[in-house]
Amino acid sequence: HAPHTRVDKEVEFGHAANGITGLETALGVLLAAVDAGRLSLAAAIAALTTGPAALLGDRLGRTLGFVEGAPADLVVVDRSASWTVAPEALRTKGRNTPLLGMELPGRVLVTVAGGRVAYAADGPAD
């Protein structure tokens, strides 16, 4: 992951730094596919949770899933909410995305990583 600033991106195409913002829009894009009947909700959730965890779990020496006494990794989503992709709505340094102006379903309310609040929509994280 290498987010790039506007200066790195707003140049002639052949000189622009590679890549687009994708992580912040991934959930909304998958939920849009669910809403359109192109993907099941279970498949969308697996694509963002157990799928990557199965690939990385062993390499990181972590047990997959919720384990009593272990720190939690989880995301709380308001499935009834939506948001519009706009540069000011993105937290990454790189705000280059073909989705600008698109309304995406699902709003992340809280992200907990390693048992600590990493993101809270309506307030500061730890």
Side-chain angles (χ1 to χ4, degrees):
H1 176 66
H4 301 288
T5 65
R6 281 181 64 177
V7 172
D8 298 321
K9 300 300 283 184
E10 291 183 355
V11 295
E12 184 179 323
F13 182 77
H15 297 288
N18 294 328
I20 64 169
T21 295
L23 187 58
E24 288 183 78
T25 56
L27 174 65
V29 169
L30 288 177
L31 290 177
V34 169
D35 292 348
R38 294 188 186 118
L39 186 68
S40 72
L41 182 57
I45 292 169
L48 296 173
T49 60
T50 57
L55 294 173
L56 297 173
D58 289 340
R59 284 195 263 167
L60 298 175
R62 296 179 65 185
T63 304
L64 302 180
F66 290 111
V67 177
E68 186 175 341
D73 294 333
L74 59 98
V75 177
V76 178
V77 177
D78 181 347
R79 186 66 178 91
S80 66
S82 63
W83 65 287
T84 300
V85 181
E88 61 275 5
L90 300 172
R91 295 177 56 104
T92 184
K93 177 171 62 170
R95 296 186 168 139
N96 183 46
T97 174
L99 303 176
L100 288 177
M102 186 174 200
E103 188 173 340
L104 295 176
R107 181 172 179 256
V108 175
L109 301 177
V110 177
T111 300
V112 177
R116 296 186 59 222
V117 175
Y119 170 80
D122 296 324
D126 283 349

